Amino acid sequence: MKHAALWVILLTMPVRSATVPHNSRHASTTQFVDTSEVRAALAWFAHNLTWINEQQIRLSEIPAPPFQEAQRAFAVKALLASSGLEVQIDKTGNVIGELRGANEKEIVVLSAHLDTVFPAATDVKVRHEGDRLLAPGISDNGTGLAALVAIARACHESRIKPRRTILFVADVGEEGEGNLRGMRALVDAYKPRLKAVIVMDGSGTDHVTTKALASRRLEATITGPGGHSWSDFGMPNPINALVRASVRFINTKVPVAPRTTFNIGQIEGGTSVNSIPYEAKLKVDIRSESEDELAKLESALRECITAGVRDEMESSRDRSKGKLEWKVELLGNRPGGELPANSSLLAALRSADEYVGNQSRVERSSTDANVPLSNGIDALSIGAGGTGGGAHSLKEWYEPAGRELGLKRVLLTLIGVSGIAEEKAR
Ligand SMILES: [Zn+2]
């Protein structure tokens, strides 16, 4: 192909934009890439929708409970390798497929999490109802994984050579007590070279998560000597203390803005109805748009537990057989952060939206993007197209209609931030 025909048109404005870019003040940073390779990659999706559906079904039918993602990881590794990527599985269990760029010193990550919330015994066989696919995990994150392997293959078959190196990553530990460990390890490993992270999570094209919702999960444990309900009456009771502490805690005032929430999600303790328990526990989830409010709420919980224990000790008649002990442990901590409004990643997403004729609203949520955002690295999380519902439930479903638009949107955003290598660099 002749030099002049190839090209990377790095324009100062989106090339097909009919309207003023969303972020017009910073439109000069937008890099809209229009080359024959990119056009070929965009066209690849329409011709391979059946194959993409099949990969989604196959991957979703491999169970991937928390901390047991290995089997699904091997399947994704094979798919990425068959698309010409150099693929490895890191110590944490992340699958990392590399598409080397002209500039290896700069990296862009496209990721989708491997894990589901469902325990190992869950039936994950995919059922079909018309065009609808039903299975736990089919959308979250079967859609993201299918998009990951599809975009890798589209880049390979259309011979895209990016400017920055692209890592296609299927990561572990996004859900629940996985506590984002896959993304944490990835950011740790690549931090100095990591320029942007695009997270694909679930379906849809209607949103872009650029604000990371900070959250913490805490477990309070109160222990005591324990005894008999009749003969030891009057000794301090850990469940009583926990109830006293809980009543105090749920009366904590939290602001409407910045939105701040708490939830006592689990409570357990005791051995039998006629025993004074020796242990009681509760688990609390706290979230906030503000790290400060989050920190305040965590100290409020600690104060309430201290006060509950003190109240119970003060009202107990018999303190001779021992006292109550307590501790509050952090089970999980998802850091907050926010993608700057003038970031080139957001500009790339907005250009992609314009190109495919999509509108999306900005959201705040807790996703894998929390980790890079809290490290000051540009990141966002988006759906990978089609429609889905019932996430985290046994009735979860996915409909592929419209998937192509979602895939194009992701590809254009990815190429927008990775760039395309100049011909001499190939
Ligand atoms: Zn998810």
Side-chain angles (χ1 to χ4, degrees), residues 266-312:
Q266 264 181 301
I267 192 156
E268 61 187 58
T271 46
S272 74
V273 70
N274 56 344
S275 305
I276 296 170
Y278 59 84
E279 188 176 76
K281 285 172 184 261
L282 97 170
K283 285 187 189 173
V284 184
D285 166 285
I286 61 179
R287 300 178 183 222
S288 181
E289 291 173 354
S290 145
E291 288 277 356
D292 284 355
E293 291 298 332
L294 203 62
K296 272 195 229 166
L297 200 49
E298 181 177 342
S299 20
L301 178 67
R302 291 175 191 278
E303 280 162 27
C304 291
I305 299 289
T306 319
V309 166
R310 189 191 59 226
D311 292 351
E312 175 64 10

Side-chain angles (χ1 to χ4, degrees), residues 113 115-117 139-141 174-175 200-202 366-367 391-392:
H113 70 83
D115 55 317
T116 69
V117 295
S139 174
D140 180 12
N141 197 20
E174 193 272 341
E175 302 283 6
M200 295 182 291
D201 201 345
S366 178
T367 70
H392 295 194

Side-chain angles (χ1 to χ4, degrees), residues 4 9 30 69 76 92 94 101 112 119 180 239 268 326 337 407:
I9 309 173
T30 303
E69 299 99 334
V76 174
T92 316
N94 297 318
L180 312 181
I239 289 183
E268 61 187 58
W326 66 271
L407 293 170

Side-chain angles (χ1 to χ4, degrees), residues 40-320:
L42 292 173
W44 186 90
F45 298 127
H47 300 128
N48 291 279
L49 291 171
T50 309
W51 182 84
I52 300 169
N53 286 346
E54 285 164 5
Q55 304 321 306
Q56 181 163 352
I57 292 166
R58 194 162 77 79
L59 293 172
S60 298
E61 287 184 342
I62 304 172
F67 301 96
Q68 296 174 59
E69 299 99 334
Q71 202 191 342
R72 187 178 284 186
F74 281 121
V76 174
K77 183 183 180 201
L79 280 164
L80 293 180
S82 73
S83 291
L85 301 182
E86 219 172 272
V87 195
Q88 46 137 335
I89 295 184
D90 73 8
K91 280 188 293 205
T92 316
N94 297 318
V95 185
I96 303 170
E98 180 179 323
L99 177 59
R100 196 159 304 157
N103 176 2
E104 292 175 47
K105 293 195 186 98
E106 297 188 343
I107 288 175
V108 174
V109 162
L110 180 68
S111 79
H113 70 83
L114 285 161
D115 55 317
T116 69
V117 295
F118 303 100
T122 311
D123 181 4
V124 288
K125 180 99 186 98
V126 177
R127 291 187 299 116
H128 300 252
E129 275 177 18
D131 290 338
R132 184 172 278 210
L133 305 172
L134 294 106
I138 186 71
S139 174
D140 180 12
N141 197 20
T143 311
L145 292 171
L148 187 77
V149 298
I151 292 167
R153 186 153 294 198
C155 289
H156 178 61
E157 302 214 342
S158 55
R159 300 173 195 283
I160 284 180
K161 168 86 179 176
R163 188 166 54 78
R164 290 169 162 166
T165 289
I166 298 175
L167 299 182
F168 292 86
V169 178
D171 61 308
V172 298
E174 193 272 341
E175 302 283 6
E177 293 183 18
N179 200 24
L180 312 181
R181 72 181 191 289
M183 187 55 77
R184 286 178 208 267
L186 194 76
V187 170
D188 271 357
Y190 294 99
K191 194 171 172 183
R193 292 187 287 157
L194 194 51
K195 298 301 166 197
V197 179
I198 299 165
V199 174
M200 295 182 291
D201 201 345
S203 310
T205 52
D206 57 342
H207 77 280
V208 49
T209 301
T210 60
K211 301 169 191 216
L213 179 62
S215 72
R216 292 184 198 175
R217 285 159 193 185
L218 299 142
E219 182 177 63
T221 307
I222 302 176
T223 53
H228 191 275
S229 62
W230 170 258
S231 54
D232 294 319
F233 179 73
M235 86 166 26
N237 177 325
I239 289 183
N240 290 2
L242 196 76
V243 170
R244 292 177 195 274
S246 302
V247 170
R248 283 172 176 268
F249 182 65
I250 61 181
N251 284 316
T252 306
K253 294 277 178 282
V254 290
V256 176
R259 184 171 158 81
T260 303
T261 65
F262 58 79
N263 181 56
I264 297 182
Q266 264 181 301
I267 192 156
E268 61 187 58
T271 46
S272 74
V273 70
N274 56 344
S275 305
I276 296 170
Y278 59 84
E279 188 176 76
K281 285 172 184 261
L282 97 170
K283 285 187 189 173
V284 184
D285 166 285
I286 61 179
R287 300 178 183 222
S288 181
E289 291 173 354
S290 145
E291 288 277 356
D292 284 355
E293 291 298 332
L294 203 62
K296 272 195 229 166
L297 200 49
E298 181 177 342
S299 20
L301 178 67
R302 291 175 191 278
E303 280 162 27
C304 291
I305 299 289
T306 319
V309 166
R310 189 191 59 226
D311 292 351
E312 175 64 10
M313 286 301 293
E314 279 172 4
S315 65
S316 64
R317 284 193 227 163
D318 179 2
R319 284 170 229 166
S320 63

